[in-house]
Amino acid sequence: MSNFISRTVEKTISRILLPVYFLLSFFPLTVVAADSSGPQVVGKQPLDMAAISMFFIFVAATLGITWWAARKTKTRDDFYAAGGGIKPWQNGTAIAGDFMSAATFLGITGAIYGFGFDALILAVGVMAAWPVILFMMAEKLRNLGSYTFIDVVSYRLEKKPVRIIAAIGSLSVIIFYLIAQMVGAGKLVELLFGLNYDYAVILVSFLMICYVSFGGMLATTWVQLIKAILLLIGGTFIAFMVMKNVHFSLEELFASAARIHPAGNAILGPGLWLKSPTAIISIALTMMFGIMGLPHILMRFFTVKDAKDARQSVFVATSLMGYFYLLIIIIGYGAIVFVMGNADYYDAAGKILGGGNMVALHLTQYVGGDLMLGFMSAVAFATILAVVAGLTLSGAATIEHDLYTETFKSGPVTNRDEIRVSRWATFAIGAVSVGLGIAFENQNVAFIASLALAIAASVNFPILIMSLYWPGMTTRGAVAGAIVGLVLSIGLIILGPGVWTAVLGYAKPVFPDVYPTFYSMPLAFITIWLFSVLDKSPRADRERALFEAQYVRSETGIGITKARRH
């Protein structure tokens, strides 16, 4: 009987709630531009009760999903991996939703608006990663891990040192990625409601804590899935209307953008943003290999029942993301054509309302009016909430599972203890993300997310791929490589122009490049190899000998946890 009720609820959510979301999103929304001054600052606006009502309806609906999921979340396996019972199409859509985030819809659109062609590397780099994930990582991750990728890295190595350093790297990635989402959310709410940016960030953090603390992975997956479908619908509409306004001619779109943009034809070719080969290679490495080290993405491979479903999830995700990134190119150049220079979207000081991160929403209003703006604003807010929830859940898993339960806690741990620690970890991550979200208020969200990818490419990816494919890696090599990658990536990010000048206010950066991956990732690999080769200890010999058993498990899946029905 309980299974029948569960299936009925699931069908209700998937078949009824999605159309309801769509219809509710078309409540009237009027955005009234107010006076503002200074870069990236938005003035207070009269409260629009229709807009506020729409957001409250959306929040209430997502909290309803959380309540439903909370009733099914009884164990740690349910909390972190939804009992392995997520279907491939659901998981693939949720994975795609993780990337169709504020950093994509708002940030990459804003980057194309500012720099044109160069910004496309942010999308192309992400897509280049997925074939590698499909053929080299997806099945092995599902067969070897339980909740986090750190389970895989530490499978045959010394648990404590590997888990500690990998957890530090993962939490660093999660925090930087959270900053991007917080900035996007704060600017969005500030623009639409005139709510103070700091309060907007706190509001998002509160909702995030509710979703993660009570609903776990099941709630996070469904919220992510629903908003991904809505964002695809909205993005398709915006791109269609842009093309309609340029007579369905890409040539006219690009030519018009070149005429309007201050850089002219330079936006149609490389060199406007990335001016050196080192910068180009570094950001390409960041985007491609950083994806393979994102904890909240790798965590999703443990939510399906087996390796076959993991592979199918990647196929679904890749298809949806490829389509959406094509839409983003049209939306980005469309923003140049229809928003740049349009007085309706500039304040008295000549600054774009809400800053560069908001040009996608200005374009939405131009091509679709206030009704479509209301829909996309709600979807963008949903996007941020869903991604933030996934990131926070991954961080909570790292703190509770990898550090508390598997590293520092002596003796047995009950399910109640595990979930209690996870919830406290969620509160802590929320507090940190609020503080840093306020500090990075005026930064492009795609840029901030790329910094997270740089850390992931320099720390998580090297130790993960070496643990999967190189029998010679030892604990000493993994720890040394992770430390080098972590120190170099974070250190060079802080000393670079993105933080040293833009955030800290110094006139000239110590390190000239925005992205450190060109230096930090190869040095991490070299360090892993060198320290592993030089390690002649008995422990190292045992770890090398265990690779064969790990390989068999990674290929066959013998011993993986069973999926639960939800």
Side-chain angles (χ1 to χ4, degrees):
M1 183 66 181
S2 62
N3 288 339
F4 172 78
I5 295 174
S6 298
R7 289 194 297 272
T8 302
V9 172
E10 182 177 334
K11 289 178 180 178
T12 301
I13 290 176
S14 60
R15 297 179 183 178
I16 298 176
L17 193 56
L18 283 177
V20 170
Y21 266 100
F22 189 84
L23 292 174
L24 289 177
S25 297
F26 278 93
F27 276 92
L29 173 65
T30 303
V31 178
V32 182
D35 292 335
S36 60
S37 60
Q40 306 282 332
V41 177
V42 182
K44 300 278 182 166
Q45 303 181 72
L47 291 179
D48 188 320
M49 296 311 298
I52 293 175
S53 298
M54 179 169 56
F55 272 78
F56 272 117
I57 290 170
F58 171 79
V59 169
T62 53
L63 288 175
I65 295 174
T66 303
W67 175 81
W68 165 74
R71 293 168 61 88
K72 296 173 171 294
T73 302
K74 307 298 183 183
T75 67
R76 180 175 64 169
D77 195 40
D78 294 331
F79 189 81
Y80 291 135
I86 302 296
K87 297 179 178 63
W89 73 267
Q90 296 169 341
N91 196 43
T93 306
I95 290 173
D98 274 312
F99 286 96
M100 294 186 291
S101 62
T104 300
F105 178 60
L106 302 180
I108 295 183
T109 301
I112 294 174
Y113 178 86
F115 302 107
F117 180 86
D118 273 358
L120 298 184
I121 197 171
L122 297 173
V124 174
V126 170
M127 289 307 302
W130 285 98
V132 181
I133 294 175
L134 175 60
F135 292 110
M136 296 185 65
M137 297 177 65
E139 294 186 23
K140 291 179 179 291
L141 283 169
R142 179 62 188 96
N143 288 338
L144 289 172
S146 298
Y147 305 120
T148 70
F149 87 97
I150 301 175
D151 290 331
V152 178
V153 174
S154 62
Y155 188 85
R156 61 184 175 90
L157 304 180
E158 187 75 21
K159 308 298 184 197
K160 187 171 184 177
V162 170
R163 284 188 181 275
I164 290 174
I165 188 60
I168 293 172
S170 293
L171 290 172
S172 301
V173 171
I174 289 165
I175 291 299
F176 269 97
Y177 216 94
L178 272 174
I179 294 171
Q181 308 307 318
M182 290 297 184
V183 171
K187 287 298 180 184
L188 174 64
V189 176
E190 184 185 27
L191 175 70
L192 292 177
F193 302 144
L195 184 66
N196 181 276
Y197 173 83
D198 296 357
Y199 296 146
V201 171
I202 293 171
L203 170 65
V204 174
S205 178
F206 171 76
L207 292 173
M208 164 193 80
I209 290 170
C210 290
Y211 295 150
V212 175
S213 295
F214 300 106
M217 179 57 80
L218 188 60
T220 300
T221 297
W222 274 103
V223 173
Q224 192 71 270
L225 185 154
I226 291 169
K227 74 90 182 176
I229 294 173
L230 294 178
L231 190 58
L232 285 168
I233 293 171
T236 300
F237 175 82
I238 297 169
F240 175 82
M241 293 303 296
V242 168
M243 294 306 298
K244 181 181 178 182
N245 279 278
V246 295
H247 309 102
F248 296 99
S249 170
L250 286 173
E251 181 179 359
E252 183 178 341
L253 174 65
F254 296 140
S256 300
R259 284 196 304 271
I260 293 170
H261 200 285
N265 288 332
I267 65 168
L268 302 180
L272 187 60
W273 175 33
L274 304 171
K275 300 183 182 299
S276 70
T278 302
I280 296 171
I281 295 172
S282 192
I283 194 171
L285 293 173
T286 298
M287 300 309 297
M288 180 173 180
F289 296 109
I291 299 300
M292 303 181 200
L294 288 180
H296 67 296
I297 299 301
L298 299 175
M299 189 177 183
R300 287 209 163 271
F301 292 114
F302 308 124
T303 65
V304 292
K305 67 178 182 179
D306 54 30
K308 177 184 176 182
D309 283 1
R311 185 172 63 248
Q312 292 177 355
S313 298
V314 175
F315 178 79
V316 172
T318 305
S319 302
L320 295 177
M321 283 186 289
Y323 172 70
F324 188 73
Y325 282 129
L326 291 175
L327 299 179
I328 288 295
I329 295 173
I330 297 173
I331 293 171
Y333 278 99
I336 296 174
V337 175
F338 299 114
V339 175
M340 188 170 284
N342 189 327
D344 292 340
Y345 304 115
Y346 287 78
D347 62 19
K351 303 295 183 182
I352 190 78
L353 287 172
N357 290 321
M358 292 295 108
V359 296
L361 293 180
H362 295 324
L363 176 66
T364 300
Q365 186 184 39
Y366 181 88
V367 301
D370 290 340
L371 291 177
M372 194 63 194
L373 176 62
F375 171 64
M376 289 306 294
S377 298
V379 172
F381 192 64
T383 293
I384 293 165
L385 288 177
V387 174
V388 162
L391 287 163
T392 307
L393 182 62
S394 177
T398 299
I399 293 172
E400 186 279 319
H401 174 63
D402 293 309
L403 294 179
Y404 176 75
T405 301
E406 300 292 338
T407 303
F408 296 116
K409 178 66 175 177
S410 58
V413 182
T414 65
N415 279 328
R416 177 175 293 183
D417 289 337
E418 292 166 345
I419 294 180
R420 176 179 55 83
V421 172
S422 297
R423 287 172 177 162
W424 279 111
T426 300
F427 295 140
I429 292 170
V432 171
S433 64
V434 166
L436 292 176
I438 293 171
F440 281 76
E441 175 182 356
N442 296 323
Q443 298 301 303
N444 178 275
V445 292
F447 160 73
I448 303 171
S450 298
L451 297 183
L453 292 174
I455 300 172
S458 304
V459 184
N460 296 349
F461 171 68
I463 60 175
L464 176 59
I465 202 71
M466 294 288 266
S467 70
L468 290 175
Y469 285 98
W470 187 41
M473 189 175 80
T474 66
T475 298
R476 190 174 298 173
V479 171
I483 291 173
V484 168
L486 183 66
V487 172
L488 277 179
S489 59
I490 295 180
L492 295 180
I493 286 172
I494 293 173
L495 297 176
V499 176
W500 196 256
T501 57
V503 177
L504 300 180
Y506 292 99
K508 186 177 181 181
V510 178
F511 178 71
D513 295 334
V514 173
Y515 300 99
T517 318
F518 181 79
Y519 307 95
S520 55
M521 191 179 82
L523 285 173
F525 273 109
I526 292 170
T527 304
I528 292 172
W529 171 81
L530 180 62
F531 277 74
S532 295
V533 169
L534 295 177
D535 189 355
K536 306 298 183 183
S537 66
R539 182 183 69 180
D541 293 335
R542 291 194 301 271
E543 290 167 350
R544 295 185 186 102
L546 287 172
F547 179 81
E548 184 175 350
Q550 174 186 299
Y551 178 78
V552 172
R553 166 77 175 261
S554 70
E555 293 294 324
T556 64
I558 296 174
I560 67 170
T561 55
K562 301 294 184 182
R564 285 163 49 92
R565 180 182 293 274
H566 283 291

